[in-house]
């Protein structure tokens, strides 16, 4: 049975700057070595990517999707939120949500997920990361053979559209299979019926 990923012991990187990376770029394991990195820092093409403050829409969609995925995902899949995935030596992005193979035993000290365990990656597109979310990260996910991708975008006001993609394993690129508003119903990577108009229930008493 696959075991939890463990980062080899190594000396902390005491000096770093996202503007002045090492000559050959940072490596995936460096995210666990560099002290005082801001939360949700990603590694893309060997460069550190610092995440800007997110809009309320971003938080709302994460809550909406995570809540319903937790309710509907079958026993063999686990819902992971805002955790990095190692795609290569210099690639360690952080999808907003993932569905992963639950058979892999990731311990509580794990800081990243293996690409081969990911069945679905979800990105909520933000204005400051639009190019990365729509172009570069889908390229990286496809090259790592992640079979399913959702891109979530804000339309008028708080309305959301989820663009669903499926991997073409021959070309290692994604094929768009549909755009969903109000409701997302699919049987891949598992049977899901997501209400995109969902709002948290107010607590009483």
């Amino acid at each position: 049975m696959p075991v939890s990923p463990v980062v080899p012991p190594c000396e902390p990187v005491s000096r770093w700057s996202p503007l002045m990376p090492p000559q050959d770029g940072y490596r995936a394991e460096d995210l666990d070595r560099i002290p005082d990195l801001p939360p949700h820092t990603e590694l893309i093409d060997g460069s550190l990517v610092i995440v800007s403050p997110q809009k309320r829409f971003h938080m709302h969609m994460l809550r909406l999707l995570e809540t319903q995925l937790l309710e509907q995902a079958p026993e063999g899949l686990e819902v992971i939120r805002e955790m990095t995935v190692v795609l290569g030596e210099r690639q360690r992005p952080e999808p907003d949500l993932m569905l992963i193979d639950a058979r892999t035993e990731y311990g509580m000290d794990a800081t990243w997920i293996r690409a081969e365990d990911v069945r679905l990656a979800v990105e909520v597109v933000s204005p400051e990361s639009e190019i990365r979310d729509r172009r570069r990260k889908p390229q990286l996910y496809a090259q790592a053979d992640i079979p399913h991708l959702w891109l979530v975008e804000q339309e008028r006001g708080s309305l959301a559209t989820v663009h669903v993609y499926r991997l073409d394993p021959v070309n290692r690129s994604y094929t768009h299979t549909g755009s969903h508003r109000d409701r997302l119903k699919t049987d891949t990577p598992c049977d899901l019926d997501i209400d995109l108009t969902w709002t948290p229930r107010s607590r009483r008493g």
Side-chain angles (χ1 to χ4, degrees):
M1 178 180 292
V3 296
S4 174
V6 177
V7 176
C10 50
E11 293 298 322
V13 178
S14 59
R15 294 183 179 181
W16 69 276
S17 168
L19 301 179
M20 298 181 63
Q23 186 174 2
D24 58 349
Y26 289 106
R27 298 175 184 272
E29 62 268 22
D30 289 335
L31 286 189
D32 295 306
R33 302 168 54 197
I34 302 172
D36 303 321
L37 275 179
H40 309 301
T41 299
E42 302 179 280
L43 184 71
I44 297 179
D45 299 325
S47 296
L48 298 176
V49 177
I50 310 301
V51 178
S52 300
Q54 299 294 341
K55 295 168 60 176
R56 185 180 178 188
F57 172 80
H58 190 276
M59 178 198 71
H60 169 71
M61 291 308 303
L62 283 186
R63 182 179 297 166
L64 180 157
L65 293 171
E66 181 184 29
T67 298
Q68 296 186 68
L69 287 173
L70 285 168
E71 292 174 348
Q72 299 181 37
E75 185 175 347
L77 294 176
E78 181 179 356
V79 182
I80 298 292
R81 174 172 173 168
E82 297 174 313
M83 194 169 179
T84 56
V85 54
V86 174
L87 305 180
E89 187 177 39
R90 293 178 175 82
Q91 311 291 354
R92 190 172 160 183
E94 183 182 292
D96 290 310
L97 288 167
M98 290 181 281
L99 280 177
I100 72 166
D101 189 337
R103 292 175 297 178
T104 301
E105 295 181 356
Y106 286 94
M108 291 301 172
D109 292 328
T111 58
W112 50 274
I113 301 296
R114 294 187 182 94
E116 55 264 35
D117 291 330
V118 181
R119 300 295 174 263
L120 167 68
V122 181
E123 292 285 356
V124 180
V125 177
S126 301
E128 60 87 21
S129 61
E130 184 175 352
I131 293 177
R132 290 196 306 275
D133 292 340
R134 287 181 175 175
R135 297 183 184 179
R136 186 60 182 140
K137 292 173 83 172
Q139 290 174 346
L140 294 173
Y141 295 151
Q143 291 166 7
D145 296 322
I146 292 175
H148 301 282
L149 171 67
W150 295 354
L151 293 184
V152 184
E153 301 202 53
Q154 183 178 7
E155 293 195 344
R156 300 176 304 278
S158 61
L159 297 179
T161 299
V162 180
H163 304 286
V164 175
Y165 299 86
R166 180 181 296 176
L167 181 69
D168 175 352
V170 175
N171 297 312
R172 301 183 83 182
S173 62
Y174 286 113
T175 299
H176 182 244
T177 62
S179 296
H180 303 262
R181 300 169 182 83
D182 297 333
R183 183 182 184 189
L184 193 172
K185 190 171 184 178
T186 181
D187 59 1
T188 55
C190 59
D191 288 329
L192 295 169
D193 190 352
I194 306 293
D195 178 6
L196 298 176
T197 67
W198 176 94
T199 57
R201 294 180 179 178
S202 59
R203 293 186 178 182
R204 299 180 179 179

